[in-house]
Amino acid sequence: MTDILDKYAPIASRHDQLLEVGPDPLGVCLEEIYSATEARVNGRRTILAGTNNYMGVTFEPDCLEAAEAAVRAHGTGTTGSRIANGTYGAHLALEQALARFMGREKAIVFSTGYQANLGMIAGLAGPKDVILLDADSHSSIYDGCRLSGATLVRFRHNDPADLDKRLARLGDEGESRLIIIEGIYSMLGDRAPVAEFAEVKRKHGAYLLVDEAHSLGVMGPNGRGAAEAEGVDEDVDFYVGTFSKSLGSIGGFGASNHPRFDVLRVCSRPYMFTASPSPANVAAALAALKLLERDPGRRDRLWNNAQAIYDRLTRIGFEICAPMSPIIAIRLPDERSAVFAWNRLLEHGVYVNLALPPGTPAGVYLLRCSVSAAHTPEQVEAFCHRFELVARELAAMDSGETAVAAGA
Ligand code: PMP
């Protein structure tokens, strides 16, 4: 019989190749966390610019205190699902706060953002429906689509005309049609043209679901995300969001004005058959949400930092994949230079994400940076300066100098 893990041999051997040139990019250990923007990595004080901590709230006193008080008051875990083992008052309070924040009648919390997509998509769509999803959708969206059993139609990334064409081609197929897009795409940091998608949705009478994972708190006058920023908040039938980025916690949610939205609580398997979010996570998310409502200036600090970094990296000569946003994806010409640059940045005390195929499209090698409102001007300066050093090292590598590898 074949070894059950043999199918992963090609992936394992690519991973081994990465380990030959430096520390494991898929297993970076944050040995001690000093703040939202700094940790000890490989024994070195390191600026964190790859953690999606957009609002930098993970060490906010309000959030820490709320989480600590919740653990003392409600315990370390919920030990079960809400339908089988009971809802905590804090789950309801958070759902009400999220509904208010998103301007919706109802919100439902899930245990992670991944499960929010699974639970929302597989809860909404069934085998008789058609889902139209952006080709660059996050894995949790693809997995939710599979779980739903619906017919899947992929349209070209960020291309409302292609969606329009595919909807027209459907004819009578599908009892309901659900369009799925993201506000800001996690890898390249590009934004969806939500207003154009909303127009297509209206034309065809489809439902629109927007995953605002990376845009929640980041975009829009009230921080609802990209749809709100484009003035088409009302066209969104279903929002999905996560607590793991701007809210500095773990969990996810769906929000909607659909009058029968709550039926998902007894029909959506990823809601029903897993433990509900822990008291600490719920309390931290609620405290962060209140903080964002109280202090919209955080959003300005985030965008100012993103602009400063974007401008400087562009001046250095890096190719950035999308217009300025808090996700800055730098494209390098090949895998060797991407891995080299990522390793050197880590040695210089800067942590960003290394993104290679198959996580990215074929031929796309990225250093993905996520900017935080909590990055100080000194950290922004240090971060940019270290990119300058690495740009020089890359240039030296290109011209065949080997001194760099010795730590010049
Ligand atoms: N949606 C998108 C677009 C994401 O990028 C992610 C996570 N990176 C998720 C959903 C899942 O969120 P979580 O990590 O909170 O489970």
Side-chain angles (χ1 to χ4, degrees), residues 112-114 117 138 140 182 186 211 213-214 242 244-245 251:
T112 65
Y114 178 86
N117 266 329
H138 188 259
S140 56
E182 297 172 30
S186 59
D211 177 355
H214 293 270
T242 172
S244 69
K245 305 180 194 311

Side-chain angles (χ1 to χ4, degrees), residues 136-402:
D136 280 10
S137 291
H138 188 259
S139 297
S140 56
I141 294 177
Y142 274 100
D143 292 354
C145 289
R146 271 191 216 116
L147 192 63
S148 76
T151 301
L152 304 186
V153 176
R154 291 194 312 167
F155 55 89
R156 268 205 303 273
H157 176 53
N158 271 352
D159 190 338
D162 191 45
L163 170 65
D164 184 29
K165 203 170 63 193
R166 287 169 195 274
L167 271 163
R169 262 196 227 141
L170 279 179
D172 289 339
E173 200 185 330
E175 288 186 351
S176 300
R177 285 98 185 261
L178 178 66
I179 301 165
I180 305 180
I181 58 171
E182 297 172 30
I184 297 182
Y185 283 82
S186 59
M187 273 297 147
L188 301 185
D190 52 337
R191 297 174 218 178
V194 192
E196 289 174 54
F197 278 122
E199 207 179 304
V200 177
K201 160 226 138 117
R202 265 182 260 126
K203 177 175 161 190
H204 293 276
Y207 290 99
L208 177 63
L209 181 152
V210 185
D211 177 355
E212 301 277 16
H214 293 270
S215 22
L216 180 78
V218 168
M219 296 179 76
N222 295 295
R224 285 176 203 160
E228 190 192 28
E230 292 209 9
V232 290
D233 173 45
E234 290 300 317
D235 284 300
V236 179
D237 300 288
F238 304 102
Y239 274 120
V240 169
T242 172
F243 306 160
S244 69
K245 305 180 194 311
S246 291
L247 300 180
S249 180
I250 296 178
F253 71 92
S256 178
N257 279 332
H258 195 295
R260 281 178 284 143
F261 187 53
D262 274 329
V263 76
L264 294 189
R265 294 184 195 275
V266 290
C267 298
S268 173
R269 299 169 65 84
Y271 176 87
M272 295 158 67
F273 297 114
T274 196
S276 59
S278 80
N281 287 326
V282 168
L286 182 57
L289 203 62
K290 288 182 182 161
L291 200 69
L292 299 195
E293 281 174 325
R294 238 187 8 253
D295 179 16
R298 254 170 208 277
R299 205 150 53 232
D300 299 334
R301 291 201 288 286
L302 171 66
W303 284 95
N304 289 341
N305 281 346
Q307 184 77 60
I309 291 175
Y310 182 90
D311 289 349
R312 186 87 168 264
L313 294 180
T314 309
R315 274 204 304 277
I316 297 170
F318 284 114
E319 180 190 343
I320 297 174
C321 297
M324 191 271 290
S325 88
I327 297 172
I328 300 181
I330 300 166
R331 186 163 182 179
L332 289 166
D334 49 48
E335 178 158 326
R336 182 167 158 260
S337 42
V339 172
F340 171 80
W342 183 83
N343 274 303
R344 290 300 289 152
L345 282 164
L346 204 58
E347 283 159 18
H348 284 305
V350 169
Y351 172 67
V352 299
N353 313 121
L354 177 65
L356 305 173
T360 54
V364 177
Y365 310 96
L366 301 177
L367 296 177
R368 175 191 178 273
C369 317
S370 51
V371 182
S372 175
H375 281 129
T376 62
E378 293 73 25
Q379 287 171 335
V380 169
E381 173 55 36
F383 172 90
C384 294
H385 177 62
R386 288 165 202 182
F387 265 88
E388 268 160 12
L389 296 178
V390 169
R392 267 185 245 139
E393 292 174 355
L394 279 168
M397 188 173 87
D398 271 354
S399 60
E401 289 179 34
T402 47

